[in-house]
Amino acid sequence: MFIFLSKLLPLFAYPLGLACLLLVLALVFHHNARVRWWLTVAAVLILWLSSTTGLSNLLARSLEYRYLPPDEIPATEVAVVLGGGTEPALAPRGTVEINSAGDRVLYAAELYRQGLARLLLLTGGEITWQTGGFSSPAEDMAEILISIGVPQEVLWLETKSLNTYENALYSGELLAESGIQSILLVTSAMHMPRAVALFEAQGLEVIPLPVDYSVTEEVLVEGDTSAALVKVLDIIPNTSNLALTTAALKEYFGMLVYQLRGWL
């Protein structure tokens, strides 16, 4: 039940859900023109601000730039790869596919090929009401890694976890049984702050290897006439910015809930 509610309730706190909720309230209070006006204005402002480049990049950068790729990566026994970068082979897909966070799977393969990780611990169980009990993210990642040449015997699957806390908890148990203390941790940059805190709470020494950055450094030539156009476009709302704002808020809400539950 907690997993279901943790996925459902935040939808009404994210910009789109919150704006819709405010508009519904505006209809409920249709007899009160002042309340209706303020609710409608609040909904429009939330949607507009959340869909602009300035706010979305600010929120994303505040998470993604806490951990930057290290200059040198020490060789370790295990790289832990968090699920979330794959899509199951549900019809009409003919096979497992990677999504926008699939960099973590490809990067894990590169770590193995470079000899920086002897084993890859793939963590992520299936949420049956989302996938219909088809397959787990850990199994999906394994399928992709095997298809690109990573030997099956170096893949270590953890298929029970349903959220990041359980990723860390169950992975930590497997690692403790093997006496492994230090790990490379691979996940999206925006998700890395929460993931690092949870894995360190399991007593592990974590070397974060973030991938899938949403906000990159852009260099504009001084005097470039396109700079003015960029500034104009920054305040025009678009769905990509709205999605980025929502993703960042999801991480902050996740940290808050985990703090309240004593997991961080």
Side-chain angles (χ1 to χ4, degrees), residues 77-81 118-125 138 154-161 165-183 199 202-204:
E77 184 74 4
V78 177
V80 179
V81 190
R118 191 179 69 83
L119 299 171
L120 301 178
L121 173 51
L122 314 177
T123 173
V154 307
L155 302 180
W156 196 359
L157 275 62
E158 182 286 298
T159 60
K160 294 192 300 181
S161 57
Y165 166 72
E166 292 184 356
N167 288 155
L169 177 65
Y170 297 139
S171 295
E173 290 175 353
L174 291 173
L175 293 165
E177 290 173 2
S178 299
I180 297 173
Q181 184 72 23
S182 179
I183 62 167
F199 275 83
Q202 298 299 318
L204 294 165

Side-chain angles (χ1 to χ4, degrees), residues 2 14-15 25 28-30 42 44 59 90 102 106 112 131 145-146 200 205 216 219 221 226 237 250:
F2 170 75
Y14 298 149
L25 290 174
V28 171
F29 290 97
H30 66 277
V44 171
L59 288 172
L90 297 172
L106 302 179
Y112 169 75
T131 66
L145 288 166
I146 292 170
E200 287 182 340
E205 178 187 344
T216 57
V219 179
V221 179
S226 66
K250 177 183 177 182

Side-chain angles (χ1 to χ4, degrees), residues 169-236:
L169 177 65
Y170 297 139
S171 295
E173 290 175 353
L174 291 173
L175 293 165
E177 290 173 2
S178 299
I180 297 173
Q181 184 72 23
S182 179
I183 62 167
L184 302 176
L185 183 61
V186 182
T187 190
S188 297
M190 193 180 298
H191 187 224
M192 188 61 81
R194 183 158 50 127
V196 168
L198 289 166
F199 275 83
E200 287 182 340
Q202 298 299 318
L204 294 165
E205 178 187 344
V206 178
I207 302 165
L209 298 181
V211 294
D212 184 31
Y213 280 88
S214 303
V215 181
T216 57
E217 299 290 349
E218 296 183 5
V219 179
L220 294 178
V221 179
E222 187 174 351
D224 188 349
T225 55
S226 66
L229 176 60
V230 169
K231 290 181 179 179
V232 172
L233 293 176
D234 282 351
I235 63 173
I236 297 177

Side-chain angles (χ1 to χ4, degrees), residues 7-177:
K7 302 291 183 182
L8 176 64
L9 295 181
L11 296 178
F12 298 100
Y14 298 149
L16 183 57
L18 182 56
C20 289
L21 183 60
L22 291 174
L23 291 175
V24 169
L25 290 174
L27 292 174
V28 171
F29 290 97
H30 66 277
H31 58 281
N32 189 322
R34 184 179 180 84
V35 172
R36 184 179 71 246
W37 187 87
W38 279 110
L39 288 170
T40 303
V41 169
V44 171
L45 284 176
I46 288 171
L47 275 180
W48 173 58
L49 290 173
S50 301
S51 302
T52 58
T53 303
L55 180 61
S56 63
N57 281 5
L58 177 65
L59 288 172
R61 187 185 180 106
S62 69
L63 291 164
E64 293 184 339
Y65 280 55
R66 294 189 194 184
Y67 294 100
L68 298 173
D71 294 330
E72 294 186 11
I73 303 173
T76 59
E77 184 74 4
V78 177
V80 179
V81 190
L82 272 61
T86 58
E87 301 294 343
L90 297 172
R93 298 188 192 113
T95 184
V96 175
E97 299 178 357
I98 60 173
N99 57 31
S100 60
D103 301 17
R104 61 183 77 176
V105 183
L106 302 179
Y107 189 49
E110 192 60 26
L111 290 173
Y112 169 75
R113 291 188 181 117
Q114 292 181 9
L116 297 173
R118 191 179 69 83
L119 299 171
L120 301 178
L121 173 51
L122 314 177
T123 173
E126 61 172 313
I127 301 176
T128 53
W129 55 269
Q130 286 186 330
T131 66
F134 192 77
S135 63
S136 69
E139 293 167 326
D140 291 343
M141 287 191 289
E143 183 174 330
I144 290 177
L145 288 166
I146 292 170
S147 73
I148 59 177
V150 177
Q152 184 171 358
E153 58 267 22
V154 307
L155 302 180
W156 196 359
L157 275 62
E158 182 286 298
T159 60
K160 294 192 300 181
S161 57
L162 302 181
N163 55 31
T164 310
Y165 166 72
E166 292 184 356
N167 288 155
L169 177 65
Y170 297 139
S171 295
E173 290 175 353
L174 291 173
L175 293 165
E177 290 173 2

